[in-house]
Amino acid sequence: MAEPSTSQVCAVVITYRPDPEALRALLAAVRGQVGATVVVDNSGPEHVLPIEASEPAVGAVLRQARNIGLAQAQNLGIDWARRHGYRNVLLLDQDSLPGEGMVQALLDAIGRLGAVSPVAAVGPRFHDLREARDAPFVRLGFPFNRKLWCRPDQPTIECDFLISSGALLPMAVLDDVGDMDAGLFIDNVDLEWGFRARAKGYTLHGVCAATMHHRLGDARMPLPLGLGQVTVHGPGRLYYMMRNRVRLYRMPHTPRVWVAQDLPRVAVKLFLFGVLVAPRGRNLRFMLRGLWDGWRGRQGPCPLVPAH
């Protein structure tokens, strides 16, 4: 059997008013590692994307008239890759920078692991440059998750979810599990898809030889009394974080252990962003509306933010 080739991989890059230099660096880093790159841009017509489809790093640019959300944008890119015959999809956010040889390492790992068990996706170990070390892979537990870091003798780590950016997904798995849940719009999209895949008997794995830089959250802010730092999100993002976690609670494929250990985090976030982190009143209003809309099953964009 022929070895899998990176020419069979299509990178799907989702953008929303990106930093031009960061986007060019991302496209340059992934060029040569994949067969094609499709950019799905959610910025809207008033924002000029600093790239063109004629650039050698880009196979297609799918410009959206409005922000259709991360999940639906990923689905459009996946559909483009499917129609053009690609066997694997590499999902990327605009805040990521793949390391050299990342895609080949992911592809090699999915080939080895797939010979043992059905694999839904593999992802790289990533490093937020504001942190002292790489982010761990995670296994669910109660009352706390298990954080697993790469060791020299451990090429891959089975985990319970992967962030979407940097994840390599076989098209055959997407055809079986289904595309991303567009109703979530943004936030917990990767978590929901991973839960759905695992419920169908697939596994997820982190690949230690594959590396990537990735920026999580909008900013970091020190907490009072020396309680450490918190990743800050805007009110709109907090709405989705609250709404979509409640939606996940009610999905049959969501692990009950995740629900049990996530519930206390709701109270923690209400306290952090409703009491300690400004704009407190606006944060609290958006979070409470998110919880209410999640209970009601609302989907799509946040109703508290003007459509654009």
Side-chain angles (χ1 to χ4, degrees):
M1 180 181 296
E3 290 294 320
S5 168
T6 56
S7 65
Q8 301 167 351
V9 178
C10 178
V12 174
V13 180
I14 311 303
T15 59
Y16 178 76
R17 303 180 181 180
D19 174 83
E21 292 306 313
L23 179 58
R24 292 191 185 103
L26 163 59
L27 295 174
V30 80
R31 180 175 56 205
Q33 295 201 48
V34 296
T37 298
V38 56
V39 177
V40 186
D41 181 45
N42 272 339
S43 302
E46 72 280 3
H47 188 273
V48 178
L49 193 68
I51 60 168
E52 297 295 335
S54 58
E55 292 190 20
V58 181
V61 178
L62 307 180
R63 301 179 191 272
Q64 305 306 303
R66 57 183 175 82
N67 184 359
I68 62 172
L70 173 67
Q72 183 59 20
Q74 289 175 336
N75 290 340
L76 289 178
I78 290 167
D79 184 61
W80 188 94
R82 183 183 284 116
R83 287 186 287 105
H84 286 79
Y86 288 93
R87 295 175 58 185
N88 301 279
V89 171
L90 176 73
L91 299 177
L92 288 168
D93 295 344
Q94 66 191 37
D95 294 328
S96 297
L97 187 65
E100 184 178 353
M102 183 191 84
V103 179
Q104 187 64 64
L106 293 174
L107 201 59
D108 290 346
I110 211 169
R112 293 192 306 270
L113 294 163
V116 178
S117 64
V119 178
V122 292
R125 58 185 173 95
F126 70 90
H127 184 200
D128 188 320
L129 294 178
R130 296 167 297 179
E131 299 287 348
R133 62 189 303 188
D134 294 342
F137 297 105
V138 175
R139 295 302 305 264
L140 297 179
F142 185 83
F144 303 110
N145 290 333
R146 292 171 55 209
K147 296 180 178 180
L148 304 173
W149 282 271
C150 288
R151 303 193 311 264
D153 61 340
Q154 193 172 23
T156 60
I157 297 175
E158 185 172 352
C159 51
D160 286 320
F161 55 87
L162 294 165
I163 66 168
S164 61
S165 193
L168 182 71
L169 292 72
M171 190 65 74
V173 175
L174 284 161
D175 291 340
D176 183 32
V177 175
D179 288 347
M180 306 301 147
D181 185 339
L184 295 175
F185 199 77
I186 189 173
D187 216 272
N188 284 347
V189 174
D190 42 15
L191 198 63
E192 186 280 328
W193 190 88
F195 288 163
R196 193 171 0 128
R198 286 183 56 79
K200 295 200 71 167
Y202 290 97
T203 56
L204 303 168
H205 299 264
V207 180
C208 296
T211 60
M212 181 180 76
H213 291 307
H214 180 70
R215 185 180 177 90
L216 284 173
D218 298 333
R220 301 294 171 91
M221 174 182 168
L223 292 173
L225 305 176
L227 296 176
Q229 291 187 325
V230 61
T231 300
V232 177
H233 302 282
R237 185 68 183 272
L238 291 171
Y239 167 87
Y240 292 114
M241 293 172 82
M242 289 299 185
R243 185 194 71 180
N244 290 349
R245 69 193 334 126
V246 175
R247 288 198 61 213
L248 259 67
Y249 294 164
R250 306 175 74 178
M251 293 179 179
H253 52 269
T254 300
R256 297 300 97 185
V257 65
W258 180 81
V259 176
Q261 51 107 304
D262 189 71
L263 282 168
R265 286 201 289 265
V266 173
V268 171
K269 287 187 180 296
L270 287 171
F271 175 74
L272 285 176
F273 295 101
V275 176
L276 298 181
V277 179
R280 292 177 287 274
R282 186 171 168 83
N283 286 342
L284 186 60
R285 181 165 69 93
F286 274 66
M287 287 189 292
L288 292 176
R289 178 61 184 269
L291 292 172
W292 174 242
D293 283 353
W295 178 256
R296 295 191 303 159
R298 184 181 183 113
Q299 304 186 59
C302 173
L304 301 178
V305 177
H308 55 279

